[in-house]
Amino acid sequence: MLWLRALCSRFVLGCAFTDRIELNDSVENLPISQRAAAAPPYVASLNPEQRAAVEALDGPVLVLAGAGTGKTRVLTTRLAHLLSSGRAKPWGVLAVTFTNKASREMRERVEKLLGPGGGGLPWLGTFHSISARMLRTHAELVGLKNNFTILDPDDQIRLMKQIIDAEGIDEKRWPGRQLAGLIDSWKNRALTPEKVPKNEAFAFADGAGVKLYAIYQARLRILNACDFGDLLMHMIDVFQRHPDVLQTYHRKISHMMVDEYQDTNVAQYLWLRLLAQASKNLCVVGDDDQSIYGWRGAEVDNILRFEHDFPGAKVVRLERNYRSTGHILATASHLIANNRGRLGKTLFTDDEDGNRVKVRGVWDGEAEARLIADDIEQWRQGNRSYAECAVLVRAAWQMRAFEERFLMLRIPYKVIGGPRFFERAEVRDVHAYLRLIRSEDDDLAFERIVNQPKRGVGEGTVQKLHAHAGKPPVRFVTDNGPLFDEDTGEVVTEQAEAPGGATRFRTLIGAAREMTITDELPLKARTALRSFLSDLDRWREKSREISHVELAEIVLDESGYTEMLRNDKSPQAQTRLENLKELVQSMGQYDTLEAYLEHVALVLDIEAESDGENVQLSTLHAAKGLEFPLVFLPGWEEEVFPSKRSVDENGDKGLEEERRLAYVGITRARESARISFAANRQIYGRWQVVLPSRFIDELPAANVDAVSETGYGMQAPGVRDMAVEPFSSGYQSPGWRRAQERGAFKGKPPVIDGEARLVARSGDGDAHYRRGDRIFHQKFGYGQVRMVDGNKLTVDFDKAGEKRVIDSFVVPASAA
DNA sequence: TGTGCTTCATTTTTT
DNA sequence: ATGAAGCACA
């Protein structure tokens, strides 16, 4: 033990922790009970709840952090406090987040508090990055080499397809994507093929699911690869089967912290529990009300059960909200109180009441986009920034209407979480080259690029290579002597059972090598393959001497990839070249190819360009953790939000998760939240009449303004039976027509005759008027409404270029 | 190997 | 509506 201490202190003195050590010294001289009192000044600036969370350093701790209660601050301060109080060493703290962004942010903020940490906090990262790091050192325990590849979802699906095909199952009826999803969900629950419950085993292809899963795992092992789920699964396996390994981590890691605990799945829970077993110093931070990832395996139960799972856990509630004004917070709280399964918190703020939450009904999606765009323009004219506005939708398709409107009005916008850099084909191609140079086992990488750029090695040739790879080895004697087995180095003579029961005796590269000296392949393909193989060998050779950045440049150049893009006249080719430049540049930040690929497999999010002056367009999911002064929440309609599928598939559980999503949405707002819903909506090109979301009924009337400025008679939340019958003389909206076809409304649409009372008028001139006890709507083109004689309204209806006056209404004084 | 036509699905998304 | 993916055919 002594030598260990000596080593540690030398290590500490040798690197950039000097100022941290000074902090340590001052506290370390105190008895443990007094250390908290002598805490550094940053702890003093916290509110009492936060401080309690920060200072509970030992034993299990559950921090229930409501939206906007300073969760990140608590987390980072706690980590800093842990270090500066001397309670834990930088290499003894395991701090887990879900996203790379979150872990990056945490690292930065801790460094800000404690000064630059140099190589400190090696165990701060995502579940996956930490697991990958661990697995690299224990790969052999699960039958992998330590240079294993981490497959991206695309490779994963490709592999699934191959397996499904090989098993003689119709890939069209049972798509690889579905199998991937199924296996993923099993892995989320830490189920190995043997452990999959019998009743679920039949979920795919009439009972082949589990078998395919087992084959898939075997194939991965052969390919020296694993997928994201495996990173955790393998480590759980190692921990369970090799207590000595687990113990080394127990010895190393004294304290653990987990962010967003409500989003952990079963596998992550097991992983955490195994690691926390010894020290019990596990602090989890989360908010059961913001658990919105059930569909990808998150178990709210993990957080609900924490006190039970970790007896003696200290629970700290953070309920003081620093983000939103009173009405917004009250609205969100009132809404979420409708959920049954929750630990319960009451958020409060000292801030002023601020604006009431606006709820507005509109005619259709277009009107909604117009309304919101106009609001944004108004905000801008009030000298506020576009970037302060966010439009948060339930599903990605809802963004289109807004994008169209924004483009038309020249409002700059940015889609949060748009297409990701690492998903781009060209980036993945380069990675495939690098992966193949690093490990010949990587058949998927080989397949991806063997004909990229085009070399004349087509699908047919690849088929033959596959077939050959599956043939039992035979002795080949060439001019250069006999061929050797890839792995053992022995001359290949014997027929052997392929490992894992899968049919592969050689890597595809191995097969290619052999087939370039036989005449089974057409000459053209053979020559092409041969030169491709010698390229690969040459690059591999070079990679020992040159940096990985140079390697990438050489590969891009010599493979003809760059040239291919240069010759490509399509507009995307230019972007692709730029992406590649960015890629090569970003590689420079990593010391080795290994380090880079590791990073790539797990993260590779090139920093998004700065937000600048853009309206933020996002799904509700992607907006979690963000905040904006002005938030629009459009599309609050039954079956859209709450999503029909969610409720259909998961019943009340699904509905509650949708409600949490609504809660997340509202609590993103600082100053103003504006909810809207339409009566008609185009969904996948089909018009549908839709009803206001039940969530609208659940809003507290006292904190909400129901505005009918553009709506058609929605007076207050709770009024659901508003008349949505649209009609007109001469013009019927597609939505109305469809509704009529479905028999949604009985009787004939009323016809305008005589006088009607105008209730409201859209900015674009759509008229909403009341006759008798019903409210009707008349849809018109933009800017074609004229007021005549004070309160008499004339509408010009522009149809096929021909303008004609079709109607006039008398406007009651109250609406004018 | 490359093309043009048909079919199909279409919540949310990280690693 | 829309776009991706699969498929038959040149």
Side-chain angles (χ1 to χ4, degrees):
Chain A
M1 227 37 221
L2 210 70
W3 61 269
L4 208 120
R5 289 206 82 157
L7 202 76
C8 288
S9 56
R10 256 177 57 200
F11 174 57
V12 165
L13 292 175
C15 54
F17 293 130
T18 6
D19 41 359
R20 186 172 307 175
I21 284 307
E22 280 162 22
L23 264 176
N24 283 354
D25 285 345
S26 61
V27 186
E28 255 174 8
N29 294 333
L30 294 168
I32 288 181
S33 57
Q34 287 173 29
R35 283 185 191 172
Y42 50 74
V43 178
S45 68
L46 301 170
N47 72 35
E49 307 160 343
Q50 292 174 328
R51 190 165 171 167
V54 164
E55 291 178 342
L57 293 185
D58 294 316
V61 181
L62 167 61
V63 180
L64 284 172
T69 53
K71 182 193 70 170
T72 315
R73 181 145 184 243
V74 164
L75 214 53
T76 49
T77 311
R78 188 177 187 280
L79 184 46
H81 190 44
L82 210 49
L83 298 175
S84 73
S85 69
R87 201 67 68 94
K89 296 296 177 192
W91 52 88
V93 182
L94 187 109
V96 206
T97 62
F98 270 84
T99 64
N100 294 294
K101 194 174 153 225
S103 70
R104 209 184 309 129
E105 193 179 315
M106 196 145 140
R107 187 178 297 275
E108 279 163 13
R109 289 178 65 163
V110 171
E111 283 178 0
K112 219 179 205 171
L113 288 175
L114 292 181
L121 295 170
W123 299 114
L124 191 164
T126 62
F127 278 104
H128 297 267
S129 70
I130 294 173
S131 294
R133 194 156 190 265
M134 291 173 168
L135 194 55
R136 291 273 174 219
T137 42
H138 309 295
E140 79 289 352
L141 296 179
V142 293
L144 294 172
K145 301 179 207 160
N146 64 3
N147 66 344
F148 64 82
T149 311
I150 299 165
L151 293 192
D152 65 35
D154 210 68
D155 290 329
Q156 208 181 330
I157 288 164
R158 205 131 37 102
L159 187 54
M160 300 281 179
K161 279 183 180 169
Q162 288 176 9
I163 292 169
I164 292 169
D165 207 44
E167 286 299 296
I169 295 166
D170 183 7
E171 213 271 327
K172 269 166 74 184
R173 263 198 71 199
W174 302 101
R177 179 175 298 277
Q178 197 186 325
L179 179 62
L182 189 64
I183 291 181
D184 223 45
S185 74
W186 281 331
K187 286 186 177 173
N188 282 338
R189 288 184 288 151
L191 296 173
T192 54
E194 309 83 58
K195 284 198 211 133
V196 173
K198 290 282 172 294
N199 59 331
E200 287 182 47
F202 289 85
F204 191 84
D206 307 317
V210 176
K211 190 177 160 209
L212 292 170
Y213 180 14
I215 296 175
Y216 171 67
Q217 290 307 114
R219 290 281 298 168
L220 285 179
R221 213 150 281 168
I222 295 169
L223 293 170
N224 187 30
C226 68
D227 60 24
F228 284 122
D230 281 340
L231 292 173
L232 285 148
M233 290 278 282
H234 284 328
M235 279 321 293
I236 292 173
D237 185 40
V238 169
F239 291 155
Q240 285 174 340
R241 288 196 297 118
H242 302 273
D244 51 315
V245 174
L246 183 58
Q247 265 180 31
T248 61
Y249 287 104
H250 284 167
R251 249 177 269 131
K252 266 186 231 173
I253 289 157
S254 66
H255 289 78
M256 295 170 63
M257 283 168 70
V258 187
D259 191 12
E260 305 280 16
Y261 189 67
Q262 76 283 355
D263 288 337
T264 50
N265 61 33
V266 172
Q268 287 155 342
Y269 166 76
L270 287 175
W271 189 96
L272 285 170
R273 207 177 61 177
L274 283 163
L275 281 168
Q277 234 166 39
S279 75
K280 306 269 195 303
N281 293 334
L282 172 67
C283 170
V284 304
V285 182
D287 180 1
D288 49 320
D289 290 336
Q290 293 187 70
S291 168
I292 56 174
Y293 286 111
W295 48 274
R296 65 177 200 215
E299 292 279 341
V300 212
D301 265 7
N302 285 348
I303 196 165
L304 300 181
R305 268 196 349 243
F306 186 83
E307 286 176 87
H308 175 257
D309 289 342
F310 296 89
K314 186 172 165 72
V315 180
V316 181
R317 284 185 160 75
L318 305 182
E319 296 175 305
R320 180 184 294 264
N321 176 293
Y322 294 100
R323 180 187 294 155
S324 312
T325 46
H327 283 310
I328 293 171
L329 206 56
T331 303
S333 302
H334 192 268
L335 176 67
I336 199 66
N338 287 285
N339 272 6
R340 317 209 76 236
R342 60 192 291 259
L343 292 167
K345 290 184 294 314
T346 317
L347 296 190
F348 64 96
T349 175
D350 289 342
D351 209 337
E352 56 196 29
D353 283 349
N355 302 306
R356 283 169 200 271
V357 173
K358 272 192 190 173
V359 178
R360 299 178 287 191
V362 294
W363 177 242
D364 62 12
E366 269 177 55
E368 191 177 43
R370 282 196 300 268
L371 171 69
I372 288 177
D374 290 350
D375 272 16
I376 290 173
E377 282 297 19
Q378 211 177 347
W379 177 269
R380 186 71 233 279
Q381 272 154 26
N383 256 334
R384 303 291 300 257
S385 145
Y386 281 133
E388 290 175 325
C389 313
V391 181
L392 310 181
V393 295
R394 173 67 244 262
W397 58 261
Q398 292 170 277
M399 290 186 192
R400 221 189 58 206
F402 296 97
E403 293 195 51
E404 274 170 18
R405 191 69 191 165
F406 291 161
L407 285 171
M408 183 185 275
L409 298 184
R410 304 277 153 85
I411 296 176
Y413 70 91
K414 185 187 161 226
V415 176
I416 297 177
R420 250 160 285 282
F421 186 80
F422 61 88
E423 281 161 6
R424 313 219 167 142
E426 63 277 16
V427 174
R428 306 237 324 272
D429 284 343
V430 175
H431 294 161
Y433 272 101
L434 297 174
R435 273 159 54 187
L436 203 53
I437 288 169
R438 192 181 52 155
S439 156
E440 287 210 352
D441 290 318
D442 204 332
D443 281 1
L444 293 159
F446 178 85
E447 268 189 86
R448 183 174 181 94
I449 49 152
V450 67
N451 204 27
Q452 190 73 6
K454 303 262 180 287
R455 302 190 166 84
V457 183
E459 213 172 308
T461 306
V462 173
Q463 281 299 311
K464 283 185 193 151
L465 288 177
H466 264 299
H468 186 73
K471 276 188 222 145
V474 288
R475 180 194 287 270
F476 275 102
V477 182
T478 69
D479 294 347
N480 301 323
L483 263 180
F484 296 97
D485 179 273
E486 300 259 327
D487 296 328
T488 63
E490 286 164 14
V491 178
V492 176
T493 50
E494 263 177 71
Q495 183 163 338
E497 185 67 28
T503 50
R504 194 187 80 155
F505 289 94
R506 302 165 189 76
T507 61
L508 284 181
I509 289 192
R513 263 203 195 107
E514 289 174 11
M515 289 189 87
T516 49
I517 48 178
T518 66
D519 54 4
E520 285 166 71
L521 291 175
L523 184 64
K524 203 177 122 204
R526 222 186 315 154
T527 337
L529 261 184
R530 198 174 295 149
S531 96
F532 178 56
L533 289 175
S534 77
D535 281 349
L536 278 176
D537 288 340
R538 196 178 60 249
W539 293 328
R540 186 170 305 124
E541 204 48 50
K542 270 194 188 160
S543 70
R544 288 181 234 288
E545 300 147 25
I546 60 179
S547 78
H548 56 294
V549 179
E550 286 170 293
L551 179 68
E553 281 166 348
I554 287 173
V555 168
L556 275 171
D557 183 35
E558 294 183 357
S559 66
Y561 201 95
T562 320
E563 201 188 337
M564 173 186 78
L565 286 179
R566 274 209 211 94
N567 294 337
D568 191 336
K569 292 283 170 284
S570 70
Q572 300 127 11
Q574 190 57 37
T575 337
R576 293 193 171 155
L577 279 170
E578 277 162 23
N579 286 338
L580 289 182
K581 249 187 234 151
E582 203 173 337
L583 175 77
V584 172
Q585 212 210 328
S586 77
M587 286 177 74
Q589 298 167 21
Y590 301 87
D591 299 336
T592 62
L593 181 59
E594 313 296 310
Y596 171 73
L597 283 178
E598 180 82 358
H599 174 76
V600 146
L602 292 165
V603 295
L604 221 172
D605 43 357
I606 303 284
E607 282 292 311
E609 335 74 87
S610 82
D611 293 346
E613 251 296 272
N614 292 318
V615 173
Q616 309 290 304
L617 196 50
S618 168
T619 63
L620 285 160
H621 282 93
K624 188 168 167 213
L626 305 176
E627 57 178 61
F628 313 90
L630 174 60
V631 169
F632 295 93
L633 300 163
W636 282 41
E637 295 126 28
E638 279 298 298
E639 308 207 335
V640 174
F641 187 40
S643 141
K644 178 177 162 54
R645 194 150 153 191
S646 176
V647 178
D648 283 356
E649 285 176 10
N650 302 308
D652 276 355
K653 245 183 124 189
L655 179 65
E656 296 213 340
E657 182 155 315
E658 296 287 305
R659 196 178 277 118
R660 291 194 289 266
L661 208 44
Y663 174 78
V664 167
I666 297 172
T667 52
R668 296 311 96 193
R670 298 179 69 98
E671 296 171 33
S672 178
R674 301 181 191 177
I675 295 165
S676 54
F677 60 91
N680 298 276
R681 192 172 287 281
Q682 224 177 352
I683 300 172
Y684 304 131
R686 309 232 163 263
W687 279 99
Q688 278 179 261
V689 173
V690 286
L691 289 172
S693 167
R694 69 189 78 186
F695 296 153
I696 288 175
D697 294 347
E698 296 172 0
L699 302 175
N703 308 99
V704 164
D705 263 338
V707 185
S708 68
E709 65 194 45
T710 60
Y712 39 88
M714 206 214 61
Q715 273 92 30
V719 180
R720 296 275 306 282
D721 57 336
M722 60 181 98
V724 290
E725 291 94 327
F727 86 98
S728 72
S729 49
Y731 174 73
Q732 286 189 343
S733 78
W736 163 247
R737 220 177 300 127
R738 264 195 74 80
Q740 204 182 22
E741 277 164 24
R742 295 193 326 194
F745 306 121
K746 293 179 194 97
K748 280 193 282 183
V751 175
I752 297 177
D753 51 53
E755 264 187 14
R757 287 156 58 85
L758 190 74
V759 174
R761 184 168 69 84
S762 320
D764 67 333
D766 286 8
H768 307 266
Y769 59 94
R770 176 189 293 274
R771 210 181 40 205
D773 57 353
R774 298 207 130 167
I775 290 162
F776 299 108
H777 174 99
Q778 175 75 61
K779 188 169 169 52
F780 303 104
Y782 195 83
Q784 289 150 354
V785 175
R786 287 177 295 151
M787 280 280 202
V788 188
D789 296 339
N791 65 348
K792 192 170 176 203
L793 184 74
T794 304
V795 182
D796 293 341
F797 179 39
D798 186 353
K799 198 181 181 186
E802 178 198 353
K803 283 202 170 181
R804 62 202 165 98
V805 175
I806 61 158
D807 244 317
S808 59
F809 315 105
V810 175
V811 183
S814 62

